[in-house]
Amino acid sequence: MVFAPDTEMSIAAAVEMVNTARRRDGHDAMATVDDVTEFYTRWGYTARHDGDTTELAAVRDARDQIAALWDVDRDTAAGTLNEMLARGGAVPYLTRHDDLDWHLHGTAPHSPLATVLLVETAMAMADVVRSAEYDRLQRCEADDCDAVLVDLSRNRSRRFCDVNGCANRAHVAAYRARRAGAPALRQED
C-alpha cells in the first residue's frame, strides 16, 4: 500500500470515472442516469444521489475536471486541487460507516454527488502531490489507448489501463512476435 486505503479507493474511483470517456470502442460509459447510479453504488458513495439528468451533467463535468489532472505537472496540479477543494467547500472530517474503518470525507453528508467526487478526488490527489508521487499518474502505454491510470504497484511497473484490455493485448502481441521470431521446430522423419 502506497497511500491510506480511502485515498487509494478515491484514486481508483477517479481513474474509473475518467476512463468512462476513454474507451477504445468510443462508448461513453457515463452517458445515462443509470450509469451514474451504477458508479455511485459500486463505489459506495454516501453523497446525495438525485438520479436525474442534472446530476448526470454535473458528474460528467466533474469527470472532465478530474481528467485534466493527468495533463498537468505536479505544481499546476496543486493549484487546481486547491481550487477544487475551495469550490466544493471542503471541510474534512473522520467518519466510519458500513464496512469501512475510519476514513476522511471532505463534504457535508448530503452534498451533491459531483461535489463529493471533486472534493474526495482532490483530497486523494493532494496526498499524491504532497508525497511527491505525482509521477504515478500515467496514461496507458498502448498505442491506440488514451486511458489513464495510477500506478500503485511497489515497483512502479504498471504500464497499461484496466478499461480496454491493453495489457492482455500487449502480452499476446509480444508472445506472437516471439513465436514468429523463434526457430522452426525440426520434424524428425
Side-chain angles (χ1 to χ4, degrees), residues 53-139:
T53 57
T54 301
E55 180 181 63
L56 171 63
V59 166
R60 289 171 57 111
D61 181 59
R63 174 183 68 184
D64 294 343
Q65 292 177 57
I66 291 167
L69 294 170
W70 274 263
D71 296 326
V72 299
D73 63 20
R74 180 176 174 228
D75 294 337
T76 303
T80 301
L81 295 171
N82 284 336
E83 290 172 15
M84 291 166 77
L85 291 167
R87 276 196 320 265
V91 181
Y93 64 95
L94 285 166
T95 185
R96 182 167 47 189
H97 56 83
D98 303 323
D99 293 335
L100 300 173
D101 199 3
W102 290 109
H103 60 281
L104 281 172
H105 279 214
T107 59
H110 297 329
S111 295
L113 178 58
T115 300
V116 171
L117 292 171
L118 285 171
V119 169
E120 290 191 6
T121 299
M123 289 185 351
M125 292 297 190
D127 280 353
V128 175
V129 168
R130 67 191 184 97
S131 299
E133 298 285 353
Y134 205 73
D135 59 335
R136 289 181 180 273
L137 273 69
Q138 301 172 13
R139 293 213 182 259

Side-chain angles (χ1 to χ4, degrees), residues 171-182:
H171 291 123
V172 168
Y175 171 78
R176 288 181 178 156
R178 284 192 307 273
R179 295 287 292 167

Side-chain angles (χ1 to χ4, degrees), residues 40-64:
Y40 173 88
T41 303
R42 184 172 43 263
W43 287 100
Y45 282 101
T46 57
R48 188 179 86 219
H49 175 45
D50 299 332
D52 58 20
T53 57
T54 301
E55 180 181 63
L56 171 63
V59 166
R60 289 171 57 111
D61 181 59
R63 174 183 68 184
D64 294 343

